[in-house]
Amino acid sequence: MSLLAFCEWLAATEGSIALHESLYMYPLVESAHVLALCLFVGLAIVLDLRLLNKLLRGVPVSQVADRLLPWTVSGFIVMVITGLLLFYAIPVRTYQSVWFRAKVIFLILAGLNVFIFHSGIYKRVTGWDMDERTPWPARRAAIASLILWAAIIVCGRFIAYNWFDCDIQPQPAFVNWFAGCVVPPIQ
Amino acid sequence: MLLPFFQWCETVWLGRFVVESNWLFPLIESIHLLALALLGGSILVVDMRLVGLGLKGREIKEIAREARPYMNAALIGMVVTGVPLFLSEPIKCYYSPAFWVKMWTLAIALIYTYTIRTKTVRMELVRNTARRHLLVGALSIALWFTVASAGRWIGFS
């Protein structure tokens, strides 16, 4: 089964239709998504700014990370659960959204960035915990994180808009390719 | 009573400018969200400490002093982007309960943040402050979360 076929099947399930048509559930899930964003991205920004030496300079990096990361992770879990529900409510259109696809790519990059940071420079954090100037790999991770999460937020917000939807044709060839639109050939 | 004011708002060029563009509203809305993330971080890091979570073991005063410029910047960003968003649809806002909930809680939250909360985070640590901290932090989180949720809800009505 192709991913598109899977999304079409998902869209026909009772739960998806109920969520899509519900008067309050969908907005509630979306609001929870935004509130979790404050917690998750907000605290991620705090750690990033600490890594850039722009905030809480007097607090060791490891302390900021240890104390805040559990909350960042909780926020992320809520983001993922509510995000999956939002996708579940509108599967086909979301799957074929250029913004959603861009968001997924940025999410993967952000995940990679976290992995590189934690398996690399952060392992040696005791050596630079209170440095005036944090090492470049740490600053690089912070800058990448700030840019990527900003891009993810913007793409996420843009999913709601239909400029590049598959059912609005003609679209540039790139859009149709990137969104995976099934466009009937011109007669 | 305020309807004429909202009707006048609808004639302001900035709002018309936003309405006439396909991209401007979503773009400003996105920046509004980015500022919200920064606001969330700079407020939550202090509030969480107030209620005894997050950066335990550090002085509240220190965290609050460091977070304050970011909170101020984020609030300015929210207002600067929020005003054109409002001006693009003032009549819709006027008839939206969510808008009024947001504006009232926003006013309360702002006053609260710059008076009671500021005073509390600057307080010298003496006995029996823990309960006050808990209360002030929890109320701040509740207020700002209400503002954010009501704000999101404007888009649904």
Side-chain angles (χ1 to χ4, degrees), chain A residues 30 54 56 63 67 161, chain B residues 29 54 56 66 70 152:
Chain A
E30 183 129 13
K54 302 276 182 212
L56 296 169
Q63 196 177 0
R67 292 279 158 83
Y161 294 92
Chain B
E29 202 179 28
K56 291 174 290 195
E66 293 263 337
Y70 291 99
R152 183 63 197 85

Side-chain angles (χ1 to χ4, degrees), chain B residues 108-146:
Chain B
I108 296 167
L110 280 174
I111 295 168
Y112 175 76
T113 300
Y114 284 97
T115 56
I116 297 170
R117 186 171 173 277
T118 301
K119 206 175 144 196
T120 304
V121 297
R122 284 179 182 165
M123 235 169 30
E124 287 303 324
L125 272 182
V126 284
R127 277 189 311 120
N128 296 330
T129 48
R131 183 178 290 171
R132 173 166 179 178
H133 284 160
L134 180 72
L135 212 68
V136 169
L139 187 55
S140 170
I141 294 175
L143 274 172
W144 284 112
F145 269 19
T146 312

Side-chain angles (χ1 to χ4, degrees), chain A residues 27-28 30-31 34-35 38-39 42 45-46 49 54-56 58-60 63 67 71 150 153 157-158 161 163, chain B residues 22-23 25-26 29-30 34 36-37 41 44 48 53-56 58 62 66 70 145 148-149 152-153 156:
Chain A
L28 276 174
E30 183 129 13
S31 301
V34 175
L35 289 185
C38 294
L39 179 67
I45 293 173
V46 171
L49 289 173
K54 302 276 182 212
L55 180 68
L56 296 169
V59 187
Q63 196 177 0
R67 292 279 158 83
W71 294 99
I153 290 176
R157 183 58 265 197
F158 277 14
Y161 294 92
W163 307 297
Chain B
N22 257 336
W23 285 87
F25 189 91
E29 202 179 28
S30 299
L34 294 179
L36 175 75
L44 274 174
M48 282 169 58
L53 304 167
L55 284 169
K56 291 174 290 195
R58 308 301 308 194
E62 177 195 7
E66 293 263 337
Y70 291 99
F145 269 19
S149 314
R152 183 63 197 85
W153 217 270
F156 294 123

Side-chain angles (χ1 to χ4, degrees), chain B residues 67-133:
Chain B
R68 198 176 173 89
Y70 291 99
M71 180 182 75
N72 291 339
L75 279 172
I76 293 169
M78 295 302 284
V79 173
V80 167
T81 50
V83 167
L85 290 177
F86 162 73
L87 286 176
S88 76
E89 44 184 26
I91 301 300
K92 175 190 159 182
C93 288
Y94 180 83
Y95 289 108
S96 156
F99 172 79
W100 291 104
V101 171
K102 174 173 179 175
M103 286 308 134
W104 280 110
T105 46
L106 174 63
I108 296 167
L110 280 174
I111 295 168
Y112 175 76
T113 300
Y114 284 97
T115 56
I116 297 170
R117 186 171 173 277
T118 301
K119 206 175 144 196
T120 304
V121 297
R122 284 179 182 165
M123 235 169 30
E124 287 303 324
L125 272 182
V126 284
R127 277 189 311 120
N128 296 330
T129 48
R131 183 178 290 171
R132 173 166 179 178
H133 284 160

Side-chain angles (χ1 to χ4, degrees), chain B residues 1-8 94-95 100 104:
Chain B
M1 186 181 80
L2 279 169
L3 189 57
F5 171 71
F6 281 69
Q7 283 165 338
W8 172 80
Y94 180 83
Y95 289 108
W100 291 104
W104 280 110

